[in-house]
Amino acid sequence: MPEIHQSIAQHYHERTKYDPESLASKSQGLDWAKQPVPFKDYKIGTNFDLKPYIQDTLETFAHDPDAQWWQRLSRLLFRSYGLTARMPSMGSAVYLRAAPSAGGLYPAEVYLVSRGTPLLPPGLYNYQCRTHSLMHYWESDVWQTLQEACFWHPAIESTQLAIIVTGVFYRSVWRYEDRAYRRIFLDTGHLLGNIELAGAINDYRPHLIGGFVDEAVNDLLYIDAEQEGALAVLALADLLDIQQNIPLGCTALPSASETDYPSIADGELLRYFHLRTQIPASVTGKLNLPKVKPEKVLQDKYNFPFCLKISTATAPIDWGIRLADLETTMYKRRSTRAYSGDDLTFDELKSLLDFTYQPQNYLDQTLDTSPDYFDLNLIETFIAVSGVKGLESGCYYYAPKAQELRQIRFKNFRRELHFLCLGQDLGRDAAAVLFHTADLKLAIAEYGDRVYRYLHTDAGHLGQRLNLAATKLGVGVSGIGGFFDDQVNEILGIPIDEAVIYVTTLGRPR
């Protein structure tokens, strides 16, 4: 019998929750013979080598405008998703990238679409991170097709380049099964966070587009929609071209909300859910033009009575001359493997929150003061503090608008956090553990089932800003996508309507 009491997004979330009993019964070894390869190969195409333009300083090509253009594009792609390290693993090698990925599986693929510039012919390109090059695999003008697929978004009208991020599902499904859909979009958010900041460094402004006809974008890229799907489109405005300084457009469009669906077997849920979060080809018109929403002001959802309130206002992090420290940080970032259990300082925690949630404080450093998200008003933040000097242990709600922590539980939760994070020592030894949450029912009412994509992408984007700020400050950081969902709310006092989306641990590296 079909279930009519939940939308498919709610059903998917419930079905993919971890709890102590189900996790123990499902535990099984990985089939290493079927381990996916996290790279795409093209047998035919023209290769554009970006390695000659990856030099650290812009002055290298001070008198060569063409080379300067290539250098900016090269650095943007490298800082966003380039290879940053080679690690031995089981007799072979694992290549780490600038954006973190759950299990090092890297399900995201990056494509570049060119409208046709003096240096980059029109057509489709895949970013080949192993060789730091662009593979021009389709030599034809596809820009109008992209415009139509994105409902004539104004950013695509005025720009010459666009990035499309896709997900290759099996790369993550191999390890995380149906729950992989959550992790794929968290990883996409990490990547978008890098693209945002790497764009600022290299004078680009990415305009995020989540409302597009999925089938049309998949067909445009010539990808197998059974194996891979478009997740986000970013029109890439060149800030050195005055014609491309364009107003912000609509980042998110709704999909339908499906409540009449059949019984779905394990192993088929992810694919079914992905199809139901798509915007179908039957939707037509210039939806992104007349329905551009006014910019939402970030609001604080919870103001618990009688709770302790502590200001987090602080001076912004200094990213150095021409953001040189940010570039270095993007290259050096690694997920922390173990914490010492030692305390952080409250000043460090305040700086981490400031960079993540207060972009308006970074105008003087030429960073984007209003970067694109789908809808941050749907994301809430709670922090379990176990070891922060100057801050009492307990669970806090972070109010970004007021820039303050509001305490909701008075307790040191180290032992409980160890359990909630599936027995990972990272949870126990962290000085603070940050939880991103969302009210799924309210979010679905606004954007339909497609909002599940938006929520996880936005949480990953925030998580990547946390990652980079922590790396800059010498603080250990590691995201966790696996946790006991319902028990988090129960133990920490997080309102029951708030579904936990993502967890980020912070502490002193061992």
Side-chain angles (χ1 to χ4, degrees), residues 315-331:
I317 294 173
D318 183 358
W319 290 104
I321 298 174
R322 297 173 71 172
L323 301 174
D325 290 354
L326 179 55
E327 273 206 289
T328 301
T329 297
M330 296 177 81
Y331 183 80

Side-chain angles (χ1 to χ4, degrees), residues 36-40 105-109 168-174:
V37 176
F39 306 104
K40 290 192 78 168
L105 300 174
Y106 302 105
E109 281 289 325
V168 181
F169 305 120
Y170 180 68
R171 290 182 190 171
S172 190
V173 167
W174 170 72

Side-chain angles (χ1 to χ4, degrees), residues 312-317 349-359 361-362 398 403 465:
T312 60
T314 188
I317 294 173
L349 181 59
K350 288 191 290 187
S351 292
L352 295 172
L353 295 173
D354 182 76
F355 181 68
T356 303
Y357 295 92
Q358 310 299 332
N361 292 342
Y362 292 83
Y398 175 63
Q403 296 188 53
R465 289 184 72 101

Side-chain angles (χ1 to χ4, degrees), residues 99-143:
S101 172
L105 300 174
Y106 302 105
E109 281 289 325
V110 173
Y111 296 84
L112 189 71
V113 185
S114 174
R115 193 174 195 167
T117 78
L119 298 175
L120 198 64
L124 304 173
Y125 299 77
N126 177 264
Y127 176 54
Q128 300 273 294
C129 63
R130 280 182 295 181
T131 57
H132 187 52
S133 63
L134 286 170
M135 175 57 70
H136 191 192
Y137 69 93
W138 186 255
E139 300 178 9
S140 179
D141 185 358
V142 296
W143 199 260

